[in-house]
Amino acid sequence: MPALETLRSFVNTWECDENDHLNVQFYFAKFEEADRQFRFMTGFSEAQAGPRRVRHVRYHGEMFVGSLVEITSHAAFDGPYMLSIVHVMRDRSTGRIAATALDGYAPSDRAIKDIRKRLDNVIEEMPAVAAPRSFEAVPASLDAKDAELRAANAQLITRATVLPRDCVLDGNADDRFVLACLTDGAPHLWESAGMTRPWLDKNDYGRVALEMKLTRGMPIKAGTVLHVLSGITSVGDKTFTFRHHVFESASQRLIAVMDVTAIIMDLENRKAVKLSEDARNGLRSHMLG
């Protein structure tokens, strides 16, 4: 059976960032809405499958102001998780794949038969284009401690409070809010690693994510005060990876982890730039120990 069309949308000016393309928080917001529609159409819920363990997003092409957004969604049982819900975002004008989201679940053996029956009409093979590339499929550990991370060279990049306007139908903050905290804070990590705003402007460069893996634990309710500790985890010729740790500040409990693969992009030709030795050294100075 074909995948369900779960979203038709549009890229608005206010959803785009300094690179003149759709900001990652709004990719996540559109995937969130597609997932809500998928659940409505199929009756699928976390009551059957347990909580989502991971949302793994890969960015395959840029979406610009005025782009028509289309998302299709299906279930896969041959992916890296016991159950995967796969969302594929396309530019509807061209059919080009812009991004994919892979939602991973680990339902009980007793539940999996009923879930297969419920989703029978929307089961397809796991597409290679949505498979994890930079990171392992398994969820990140949520056992790290604030003090341990600070001692291991992690940097404080964000403090935020969850407001009622940040919460969705279940009363909790969704992925878009988490991404907003991280994308607003990440430039502070880049800046301290030497990739400063003046340097970017001088060279007409932009900071761009290629892949993200979000692992979430407890729900994030209105009134929760958060802080984020981040650090570099690997450095290559063109790409580098970093990890954000989102803490509930009152309890010091780690409630989410985001792994990111990023590049510096030449904004004129829209291609990745090879990192200079100075840039690599700056990044290495913020490696998590």
Side-chain angles (χ1 to χ4, degrees):
M1 294 292 290
L4 297 174
E5 183 185 275
T6 49
L7 189 73
R8 286 193 179 188
S9 188
F10 182 80
V11 177
N12 294 282
T13 304
W14 52 268
E15 295 175 313
C16 295
D17 56 26
E18 72 278 10
N19 297 324
D20 297 323
H21 61 198
L22 186 64
N23 184 271
V24 292
Q25 66 176 291
F26 295 108
Y27 278 93
F28 271 77
K30 294 181 192 304
F31 283 130
E32 283 280 279
E33 182 56 32
D35 188 55
R36 284 190 285 266
Q37 294 293 328
F38 180 82
R39 293 174 185 229
F40 170 75
M41 294 175 184
T42 62
F44 172 73
S45 74
E46 292 187 358
Q48 305 148 10
R52 187 191 78 208
R53 306 185 75 199
V54 169
R55 171 163 285 163
H56 202 127
V57 173
R58 288 179 58 185
Y59 303 98
H60 303 279
E62 298 176 272
M63 294 288 270
F64 301 101
V65 171
S67 295
L68 301 183
V69 180
E70 179 182 76
I71 297 179
T72 57
S73 306
H74 71 272
F77 289 89
D78 60 342
Y81 307 103
M82 186 178 296
L83 166 64
S84 301
I85 305 299
V86 183
H87 308 285
V88 180
M89 179 187 294
R90 290 180 173 86
D91 182 329
R92 191 163 182 267
S93 297
T94 64
R96 173 182 57 85
I97 293 178
T100 53
L102 179 64
D103 295 346
Y105 295 86
S108 67
D109 292 339
R110 184 173 61 180
I112 197 70
K113 183 177 180 181
D114 290 339
I115 293 171
R116 277 183 174 271
K117 183 177 180 180
R118 180 180 294 276
L119 298 178
D120 182 62
N121 290 335
V122 292
I123 297 174
E124 289 190 3
E125 293 182 354
M126 170 71 195
V129 72
R133 184 174 181 180
S134 301
F135 309 109
E136 294 182 352
V138 296
S141 170
L142 295 175
D143 293 333
K145 306 299 183 185
D146 178 289
E148 294 172 351
L149 287 169
R150 291 177 190 263
N153 206 31
Q155 178 180 336
L156 177 70
I157 65 162
T158 300
R159 292 189 184 276
T161 303
V162 182
L163 303 177
R165 67 170 181 254
D166 301 316
C167 298
V168 289
L169 297 176
D170 62 0
N172 300 311
D174 65 0
D175 286 357
R176 187 214 59 79
F177 173 77
V178 176
L179 266 289
C181 292
L182 302 182
T183 58
D184 287 351
H188 293 276
L189 179 62
W190 293 64
E191 187 88 7
S192 62
M195 298 179 181
T196 64
R197 185 76 252 171
W199 178 77
L200 293 168
D201 291 342
K202 177 182 177 182
N203 292 283
D204 197 22
Y205 290 164
R207 301 175 280 222
V208 176
L210 296 181
E211 189 169 351
M212 292 178 158
K213 184 179 83 171
L214 177 62
T215 303
R216 287 186 59 171
M218 59 177 280
I220 306 174
K221 301 182 180 298
T224 302
V225 178
L226 307 173
H227 68 276
V228 180
L229 299 177
S230 304
I232 306 299
T233 50
S234 72
V235 180
D237 286 341
K238 290 185 177 180
T239 64
F240 57 98
T241 62
F242 49 94
R243 173 172 280 192
H244 299 299
H245 306 80
V246 183
F247 283 91
E248 182 186 40
S249 298
S251 67
Q252 296 288 295
R253 188 181 340 184
L254 183 59
I255 56 178
V257 169
M258 171 71 88
D259 290 297
V260 182
T261 299
I263 59 169
I264 294 290
M265 185 173 72
D266 185 317
L267 295 177
E268 181 175 355
N269 61 32
R270 315 303 287 191
K271 295 185 180 298
V273 174
K274 184 175 181 178
L275 297 170
S276 68
E277 189 60 30
D278 285 345
R280 288 196 294 272
N281 287 337
L283 289 166
R284 292 184 186 115
S285 71
H286 289 275
M287 291 278 289
L288 293 175

